[in-house]
Amino acid sequence: GTWDMVVSNGMGIAAPNAGAPDDPILFNTSDGTLLRRLNPTTALSANVMGAAIDGNRAVVGKQNSHFALFDVATGNEIGSVASTAGNGFGSSAAISGNLVAIGGWGGNVEVFDVSTPSAIVSLGTVPSSGNFAFALSGNTLVSAYFGTVNVYTVGATSIGTGTQLTPPGTAG
């Protein structure tokens, strides 16, 4: 089975879930052909949960508080991080340029600077408010939990204070 699948620029990444025998794969979205397997230096084939692609980089999160960064052209791992965030950390992932956001079931979202893959730096964790979904674009992180949406600006060394948005039709 497959837990997560994303598409970007004609490529898709499929991350197998618990019990799946293979590492994540990249495939051509127009005809479904296999482009390459991602080659992690640490085993990712069990409990792979989150996956994302941006340009020539892909990120794959593993449920046990680990994620790996890959070069899409070669499929080789170019960096990885183990986090102490726990509680399903690695179950969701986003990547935009040199920023990677990794989330877990407990609602925490941690953002990393991956500009130097051999020295990945944590920029901080968004406070847990039950982040059910999140997205990353440029230096903007948006997290949501049912009717609550928060927008954060990710700086060079930290994550700014979030701004809570009020969806249309809910202001009183």
Side-chain angles (χ1 to χ4, degrees):
T2 298
W3 182 265
D4 204 1
M5 186 175 352
V6 294
V7 175
S8 177
N9 296 323
M11 272 190 294
I13 182 172
N17 64 3
D22 297 318
D23 291 318
I25 61 168
L26 293 172
F27 61 93
N28 182 317
T29 57
S30 64
D31 61 13
T33 57
L34 174 69
L35 297 174
R36 68 195 51 81
R37 292 194 182 283
L38 299 181
N39 303 307
T41 57
T42 34
L44 288 174
S45 59
N47 297 320
V48 171
M49 305 296 274
I53 300 174
D54 185 43
N56 199 35
R57 289 183 174 175
V59 62
V60 174
K62 186 175 179 182
Q63 178 186 341
N64 70 348
S65 300
H66 174 266
F67 80 84
L69 184 67
F70 296 90
D71 180 316
V72 170
T74 65
N76 293 328
E77 182 179 311
I78 56 175
S80 68
V81 165
S83 174
T84 59
N87 202 8
F89 177 87
S91 62
S92 51
I95 183 170
S96 182
N98 288 322
L99 296 176
V100 167
I102 303 292
W105 298 317
N108 291 331
V109 178
E110 190 169 357
V111 180
F112 298 88
D113 178 346
V114 296
S115 55
T116 305
S118 61
I120 296 173
V121 176
S122 173
L123 299 177
T125 302
V126 172
S128 177
S129 59
N131 296 304
F132 187 69
F134 64 90
L136 184 63
S137 179
N139 69 336
T140 302
L141 174 71
V142 179
S143 69
Y145 181 72
F146 293 98
T148 303
V149 177
N150 292 295
V151 178
Y152 301 88
T153 300
V154 180
T157 60
S158 65
I159 302 171
T161 303
T163 301
Q164 187 171 336
L165 303 180
T166 303
T170 61

